[in-house]
Amino acid sequence: MGWRILERFSSELRSRFIEKDYLKVGDGFPWPTFSFFGVAGRIAIQKKSGCCFSERIHKPLVMWKSTLFLTGGFMLSACSEDSSENEKVGGDDIREESGAGVLVVEEADLGFLDLSGDQKLIGPLADAYRRLDPAEDGWETETFSENVASQLNLLAGELKKIGALEGLSDKSIATLGALVTSDFQSGMLRPRVNEVLKSEGLRVNRFDGSFPPLTGVKGEVNRGQNGFVFALEQLLEEGGLGAVTHAKFKVSHVELTDKRASTRVLVQLDGPSASPSGITQVNTTWNCSWNSKDADQPLLSSVQVLAYEEVVKDGRTLFSEMTNAVVGGLDSFRKQFSYGVDHWRLRIPAHLGVAVTGHHGLAVGDVNGDGLEDVYLCAEAGLPNRLLIQEKNGQFSDATKQSGADWLDTSASALILDLDNDGDQDLVVGLAWFVVLMENDGSGRFTERSISESKGQILSMAAADYDQDGDLDIFTCGYQGDGKDLRQGALAMPIPFHDANNGGANTLLRNQGGWKFEDQTERSGLGENNQRFSFSAVWEDYDNDGDSDLYVANDFGRNNLYQNNNGIFTDVAALAGVEDKAAGMSVAWSDVNQDGYMDLYISNMFSNAGNRVTYQNQFKIGDQPGDTAAFQRFARGNTMFQNLGNGQFVDISEPAGVTMARWAWGSVFADFNNDSLDDIIVANGFITSTDSGDL
């Protein structure tokens, strides 16, 4: 079917666009490449500014193949060597998209396509979800979880209608009462708490665990439908919520037996504080029992509070959104960066390497020597990386074109640092499977000085003077394997999923001076355990011996801790107890307990679905002992390791309360409240969708 459509595309487009020089065939277009992508009813025709002929796409990196993707509809792309960036094709049915060099032919032009009957085109993730029916697959626990989630969504909806001070309407009371059994019982939903943090503008209270599970406000149990309503009112009033703006319930564990149906539920409520003015967020965990495991609308029979925390912020602003103020006036922001990955992956040919995950990076540094920090932003393949220069008024100007660093290749990482020790900040850019090193002339104009091939698709880089010779060396994290065999931006195929060792190799580039860099990966010992899917690496002297050691966070399995001994590395992760077999995505170091040794925090993936499914009896039946535990650990979330100072670390994640950070891509330590203790900020999220699922 696909090639018949392609043939008809080609005929139609030749007749319409060849005279406009948007499409060349044969000798004039040496790589006739067509890719079907995006949404049915749209054709995108890419011009010079976003195609292979751009001078900013480095020739060795371009991997042109005849490709056909039937993932989400279709997209035919074609590049022209001669077409002007501002050239337009006539006709009301054609428009330029976002001013970014992409033309879109609207649905009216596609009448020659017949996608009727069973010829359905689906989105990248839609097929997987369509084929998953827990009721048909024998996953009773997941069917029950979905039914429970529907009931909890009703609860969330009612909570968002009420305020503790105004009380509940008769209609809300009736709706809430219908969610529980007549013999329902619970204790206080807002238990006694201790103040664990008080700083300027912020206060945190936590459950002290000092009351029996089902003890009510005056020692009695809250019973029945009225008791449930009373317990909710007590939670809102004593928790300090004047109203509920957001209410979220996530089922993280399911237990079904002949006599028992229970779930662990993560609850988050937030809204304006009752008094004083400000904002309150309640984070609590409930153990919920239900009346039936078979009912489509199960009813709550009891609620027990397992954990409770409330965060109260006064009316003062801790952080302000400044994006529009500092970059909102830039064409590059409005036409490029204001759109997300979902927008661009429907408009850029898939073979250029548009990453579904949208994993891209930035670098900060003073590139023009004016004492102000500038920003270099990596972008999707087919879109230019951007250099933004900070002005004295706090706004930014776009200096991309004059910088010489407007690369169009897929790019997920960059570094701004002084590589030649001349006092100005040079630039390192990771482009797919290549490292480009660029010299700064002191004014923010860069010249390409060295290109090195990486052993894996680069997702991040880290620099340090590992050999202590006075200049900075570069370490690259290689996620995917050999670029000759893999499409840029493709998702990984780990084997096995929970402990993969078939990823791309990392690379150590030693700075020899004079802009010469030598691959020292194997000679330095960093070739050991070097086939993981590496996301991130950070240098740090964890053993206090005066040189830089290296921790590498790997997706789909165990991480690496390379101890540096006079420029030779040994992977001691297993010996030190920090392999952390999970979905490693980032790493951060800090002396959390201020004992003089650097502690370790790793961003992983927390999965509600994973925490439910991996604890069921039918999960991975027949697998080797320990595999199930490995998958359970995989879904647990982030990890905090305390450095004991003797080469060993201990996992303190759960007592520290840092595991649940959702799908965590990155983290950093910083003292936000100036109390001399490092706090943690975690960036999280996944593919934009109307349904967040169980992430």
Side-chain angles (χ1 to χ4, degrees), residues 675-689:
D675 63 353
S676 76
L677 298 173
D678 275 350
D679 312 299
I680 308 173
I681 184 168
V682 181
N684 59 64
F686 198 59
I687 301 172
T688 302
S689 173

Side-chain angles (χ1 to χ4, degrees), residues 495-656:
I495 302 174
F497 178 85
H498 64 286
D499 194 17
N501 199 23
N502 64 315
N506 305 325
T507 303
L508 176 66
L509 297 176
R510 180 176 177 267
N511 189 344
Q512 298 179 295
W515 290 97
K516 295 181 180 179
F517 289 81
E518 182 182 21
D519 186 341
Q520 288 285 315
T521 310
E522 297 299 328
R523 293 180 184 177
S524 67
L526 290 177
E528 182 182 2
N529 300 326
N530 192 29
Q531 294 293 323
R532 308 290 183 183
F533 290 85
S534 299
F535 259 126
S536 176
V538 176
W539 298 93
E540 182 58 65
D541 182 13
Y542 83 92
D543 52 6
N544 290 351
D545 66 350
D547 54 25
S548 296
D549 311 297
L550 183 68
Y551 192 90
V552 183
N554 302 315
D555 204 357
F556 307 113
R558 68 191 70 194
N559 299 331
N560 311 109
L561 174 60
Y562 294 104
Q563 186 180 42
N564 187 352
N565 295 289
N566 298 316
I568 303 299
F569 294 89
T570 304
D571 188 357
V572 298
L575 181 65
V578 293
E579 284 190 306
D580 196 44
K581 292 173 62 174
M585 299 188 188
S586 78
V587 55
W589 293 92
S590 171
D591 184 5
V592 174
N593 58 354
Q594 298 184 328
D595 64 350
Y597 289 93
M598 299 298 284
D599 308 301
L600 185 62
Y601 187 68
I602 304 153
S603 297
N604 294 307
M605 176 186 70
F606 175 89
S607 171
N608 282 308
N611 278 286
R612 292 196 309 269
V613 170
T614 57
Y615 285 90
Q616 305 308 314
N617 292 331
Q618 67 263 51
F619 177 75
K620 304 285 288 181
I621 296 175
D623 272 18
Q624 295 294 320
D627 280 1
T628 295
F631 277 97
Q632 292 169 349
R633 168 63 191 90
F634 213 94
R636 189 192 74 174
N638 293 1
T639 305
M640 175 79 77
F641 287 111
Q642 179 183 336
N643 190 341
L644 299 179
N646 59 358
Q648 301 291 304
F649 292 76
V650 61
D651 189 338
I652 61 169
S653 308
E654 293 185 337

Side-chain angles (χ1 to χ4, degrees), residues 160-212:
K160 288 188 287 187
K161 297 177 184 178
I162 64 176
L165 299 183
E166 292 77 16
L168 300 169
S169 68
D170 291 341
K171 185 177 181 180
S172 289
I173 290 175
T175 302
L176 292 169
L179 297 176
V180 303
T181 62
S182 59
D183 59 349
F184 170 86
Q185 58 180 350
S186 79
M188 295 183 293
L189 296 184
R190 196 270 189 178
R192 287 188 289 270
V193 298
N194 291 327
E195 187 176 85
V196 298
L197 174 67
K198 186 176 182 179
S199 63
E200 187 176 357
L202 197 66
R203 186 175 77 255
V204 178
N205 301 320
R206 288 198 182 121
F207 170 39
D208 62 9
S210 63
F211 70 95

